[in-house]
Amino acid sequence: MVRRRLLVSRPAKSKKDKQRSSSGPLVVAGLFRTSSGIGRSARSCAEALDKFGIDYLRCDLSATFNQVDLEFLDASFELPESRWGTLILHLNAPETLAALRALRYRNRKRWRVIGYWVWELDVLPSSWEKEARHLTEIWTPTEFSANAIRRAVDIPVVVVPHFVEPPARNLDQNPFREEFPLNATIIGVFADGRSSFDRKNLLGSIGAFLSAAGTDPNCWLLVKTRNLDEHPSFKRALCEMILGHGRVRLLDGSLSEVKKWEVINACDIVLSLHRSEGFGLVLAEAMSLRKAVVATDWSGNTEFMSQSNSCPVPYELVVVMDEYCVYSLSDSSLRWADADLGYAVEILKQLIDNTAMRQEIGERARLSVGEHLDGRAYIKALRSL
């Protein structure tokens, strides 16, 4: 018996079809039960629509891609039968076709299909270009990411920054913070192995902490990782680096949304000497919580970070080399950033010693995130045809 391949319908392309799509249902699809940045992207979009009272449906695709590590209620798994509608698909290009098939996007549908993509380098992988044919347009959170996408596709690319807002609940009563000494200054570093430990430059950030903190008994480092066991050689290097340092705590695994916010809020400083970011969600979330953020002054995070609301670290551009093959591109002209370690150490020393400085930077960070990452961009982009 020969099985017919499941075909997907064409997306709305003409202005008339896009106008018709606005009369149908609005669906946000993505990895709602996945604690990765892509999963957070879908939840962020949903939160923005909730904030502005927009009616929509959620479709969870976590099980489709075998990435269920969170509980998340009130989500369906298929699109409505309507011929017209709008779909915001929070998945990158390689997952686009599989997601549309899982959603059963067929039967002569002509929806406005929006792919929410993020990329961290100047050049998009060639394999991504053909996936754009399944989409009406592409949204992405920064101009940095948009510039790479625009050079590769011939459909509209719109910058729609993530919505970032702390939960309404009181995070000051934080059981996670209680696991550290009462007067500790906690520096947090965050990385997911599936996003490349080389890109995140986790070891560089740990090295900066060790140099800046010295033997200060009140200065602690929290190393928050995910999927560490998938990279045993890196795990060994990490463990060897922190071996014998009693003021370094390693926390690996997926966190619920509540626990994630608690962990970030437990930190006084968030450090990221990354080589590139498509956006930098943890950095923006930390800033929304009044945290002093020290991060490489290059790529997507520079669109919400500045000298006035954070501590950008100078860098030089170097050839992209990714031992973990997340960015296994053959183009030797590709560059990403190598942060100035000495500068990072000095600014960390200042922040460790000066509580008032941290608080002043953190308050400006909170105000700027509240103003610029307030979710209105989603509404504007939806209404623009």
Side-chain angles (χ1 to χ4, degrees):
M1 178 179 175
V2 178
R3 291 187 177 181
R4 296 181 63 186
R5 188 177 183 184
L6 177 61
L7 301 177
V8 298
S9 293
R10 290 175 294 163
K13 293 289 187 179
S14 69
K15 184 174 182 179
K16 183 177 181 180
D17 278 354
K18 286 190 282 186
Q19 288 173 336
R20 287 172 173 168
S21 73
S22 63
S23 66
L26 170 62
V27 175
V28 179
L31 307 181
F32 282 97
R33 291 182 291 167
T34 306
S35 59
S36 66
I38 293 177
R40 179 66 187 123
S41 174
R43 294 190 295 275
S44 172
C45 177
E47 290 166 8
L49 298 178
D50 286 337
K51 176 181 177 180
F52 292 101
I54 306 298
D55 290 332
Y56 69 98
L57 301 172
R58 298 168 180 161
C59 282
D60 178 52
L61 294 167
S62 304
T64 300
F65 296 97
N66 194 30
Q67 294 192 45
V68 177
D69 53 21
L70 295 177
E71 291 184 6
F72 197 86
L73 303 178
D74 191 24
S76 61
F77 301 95
E78 291 185 5
L79 295 179
E81 291 298 326
S82 171
R83 177 173 171 77
W84 306 103
T86 300
L87 169 65
I88 309 175
L89 183 60
H90 285 263
L91 285 165
N92 275 327
E95 295 79 37
T96 298
L97 185 55
L100 291 173
R101 287 174 174 162
L103 291 167
R104 301 179 69 82
Y105 181 74
R106 55 179 181 170
N107 297 334
R108 296 175 57 80
K109 290 182 184 295
R110 288 294 183 273
W111 283 39
R112 179 185 180 189
V113 183
I114 302 163
Y116 198 102
W117 293 4
V118 186
W119 185 241
E120 293 85 10
L121 299 179
D122 289 335
V123 178
L124 206 66
S126 58
S127 60
W128 286 35
E129 299 172 20
K130 64 180 181 180
E131 302 304 326
R133 72 185 188 275
H134 302 299
L135 306 173
T136 305
E137 64 201 86
I138 295 170
W139 292 359
T140 191
T142 59
E143 285 290 347
F144 178 83
S145 181
N147 288 336
I149 298 170
R150 287 183 183 127
R151 286 192 287 266
V153 305
D154 60 359
I155 61 174
V157 178
V158 183
V159 175
V160 182
H162 292 301
F163 170 52
V164 177
E165 185 175 84
R169 62 185 295 272
N170 183 9
L171 292 172
D172 292 333
Q173 302 299 318
N174 189 339
F176 186 77
R177 176 80 193 199
E178 295 172 2
E179 298 178 18
F180 293 85
L182 180 62
N183 296 317
T185 299
I186 303 172
I187 299 173
V189 295
F190 298 77
D192 185 338
R194 292 182 182 175
S195 294
S196 172
F197 285 124
D198 271 338
R199 178 174 71 81
K200 291 293 189 178
N201 192 21
L202 189 62
L203 298 184
S205 294
I206 295 172
F209 164 82
L210 296 176
S211 297
T215 57
D216 184 344
N218 290 321
C219 194
W220 286 68
L221 179 68
L222 169 63
V223 182
K224 171 62 186 75
T225 59
R226 184 170 174 265
N227 299 307
L228 185 58
D229 288 336
E230 293 181 8
H231 302 279
S233 62
F234 180 85
K235 183 177 182 179
R236 285 194 299 272
L238 171 61
C239 292
E240 289 172 4
M241 191 171 193
I242 64 177
L243 183 66
H245 294 277
R247 293 171 289 112
V248 178
R249 178 173 177 187
L250 175 61
L251 178 63
D252 183 59
S254 298
L255 300 177
S256 68
E257 280 292 302
V258 170
K259 189 69 173 179
K260 177 205 70 178
W261 284 106
E262 288 180 351
V263 168
I264 297 174
N265 200 47
C267 301
D268 299 288
I269 303 165
V270 169
L271 171 64
S272 175
L273 299 185
H274 60 263
R275 295 189 166 95
S276 185
E277 286 285 5
F279 182 79
L281 260 169
V282 170
L283 305 181
E285 290 169 341
M287 291 171 67
S288 76
L289 290 170
R290 298 187 178 90
K291 306 304 173 182
V293 170
V294 180
T296 310
D297 192 22
W298 193 73
S299 63
N301 59 295
T302 64
E303 296 177 32
F304 58 82
M305 290 180 60
S306 66
Q307 292 286 348
S308 66
N309 66 15
S310 56
C311 299
V313 177
Y315 64 91
E316 65 175 343
L317 292 179
V318 298
V319 175
V320 172
M321 297 183 66
D322 182 14
E323 179 182 346
Y324 305 100
C325 298
V326 176
Y327 301 88
S328 54
L329 304 177
S330 58
D331 189 345
S332 61
S333 68
L334 289 175
R335 298 289 188 271
W336 58 15
D338 187 24
D340 185 332
L341 182 61
Y343 183 95
V345 169
E346 290 306 311
I347 198 67
L348 279 174
K349 287 179 178 178
Q350 294 178 43
L351 291 170
I352 291 167
D353 294 337
N354 193 332
T355 303
M357 179 183 178
R358 295 199 305 264
Q359 291 175 343
E360 183 179 351
I361 292 171
E363 179 58 20
R364 290 200 295 266
R366 182 189 69 82
L367 292 173
S368 64
V369 167
E371 179 180 357
H372 298 293
L373 303 179
D374 63 357
R376 295 181 189 275
Y378 292 95
I379 310 307
K380 182 180 178 181
L382 275 173
R383 291 174 178 169
S384 175
L385 298 175

